[in-house]
Amino acid sequence: MTNQTPPMPPEIQKQMKKVGLKISFMMALMISFALSLTGNLTAEHPPEMPMIAIIIGFLESFVLSFAVSFGIGLVVPMPKVNAALGRKFHLQPRTLKAHIVESIVSNLIYTPLMTTVMVTFVYFFLIPPGHKPPYLPMFISSQVICFVVAQVLIFIFEPIIIKIAMSKMPPRPPFEQEHPHP
């Protein structure tokens, strides 16, 4: 006999999708802002570059990064990924070990793609032709720096953002009350 969980009622599924969108939106906003700022602060700007150009470059990077991150969030079902990780590695939900594994995997899914898009955009569209450093060292150092920054942010802020997003959910009755035994 298998222990299968009955499907969630449609109204709960709808609420969970809204919560998932809210979490994706808030995480994308926070990570995109932080990585765009990190990229801007670690970049070498020509001394003659006006501050307005630096600010516009930051804003363009942020918008692009947000679009990529939120797009990934719409496509990749992180709760299902995390559930699969839990099964594969025998992780107990809401433990430090589970959170470490989940945050690393989330970072591996999001950050390399976001950083690749941002670095490529900045390199080909924002850096003046006479000031372009070699692409590969810029790309590799950006990947490493952004991965570390994103890992710290995901590890710290993801649980907070989930808690904020879930706080608007109405309390669910215990499983036994929803599905009494015959």
Side-chain angles (χ1 to χ4, degrees):
M1 185 164 139
T2 59
N3 236 356
Q4 290 187 353
T5 307
M8 275 193 262
E11 62 275 358
I12 299 291
Q13 287 178 350
K14 190 175 182 180
Q15 289 173 338
M16 290 305 289
K17 282 187 182 196
K18 282 184 183 179
V19 168
L21 279 174
K22 190 185 283 188
I23 292 168
S24 291
F25 180 82
M26 290 190 291
M27 286 296 292
L29 200 60
M30 188 257 313
I31 294 292
S32 297
F33 180 83
L35 294 187
S36 297
L37 187 60
T38 299
N40 215 313
L41 293 174
T42 58
E44 292 181 28
H45 302 288
E48 66 273 5
M49 182 177 272
M51 183 56 77
I52 191 70
I54 294 169
I55 292 170
I56 290 171
F58 162 76
L59 292 173
E60 290 174 336
S61 279
F62 169 65
V63 168
L64 181 61
S65 176
F66 175 78
V68 170
S69 180
F70 191 62
I72 294 169
L74 293 174
V75 174
V76 177
M78 284 310 296
K80 289 181 182 179
V81 170
N82 290 342
L85 288 169
R87 287 189 302 274
K88 171 109 175 131
F89 296 110
H90 309 290
L91 302 172
Q92 294 298 316
R94 294 179 290 282
T95 62
L96 180 60
K97 183 179 176 184
H99 183 52
I100 290 169
V101 171
E102 291 168 359
S103 65
I104 289 170
V105 170
S106 177
N107 196 8
L108 285 169
I109 291 170
Y110 283 80
T111 305
L113 181 58
M114 290 170 57
T115 305
T116 298
V117 169
M118 284 192 309
V119 168
T120 303
F121 172 74
V122 167
Y123 188 83
F124 289 105
F125 296 103
L126 299 181
I127 298 176
H131 296 282
K132 289 185 189 228
Y135 179 80
L136 199 55
M138 179 181 157
F139 176 78
I140 292 170
S141 68
S142 294
Q143 287 287 352
V144 171
I145 292 167
C146 286
F147 190 83
V148 171
V149 168
Q151 183 59 43
V152 170
L153 292 173
I154 292 167
F155 186 79
I156 293 170
F157 289 103
E158 184 181 47
I160 296 167
I161 288 173
I162 290 171
K163 191 176 221 175
I164 290 168
M166 294 294 284
S167 70
K168 305 294 186 218
M169 287 283 294
R172 289 183 62 193
F175 183 77
E176 290 296 319
Q177 290 176 356
E178 281 183 19
H179 306 283
H181 291 291

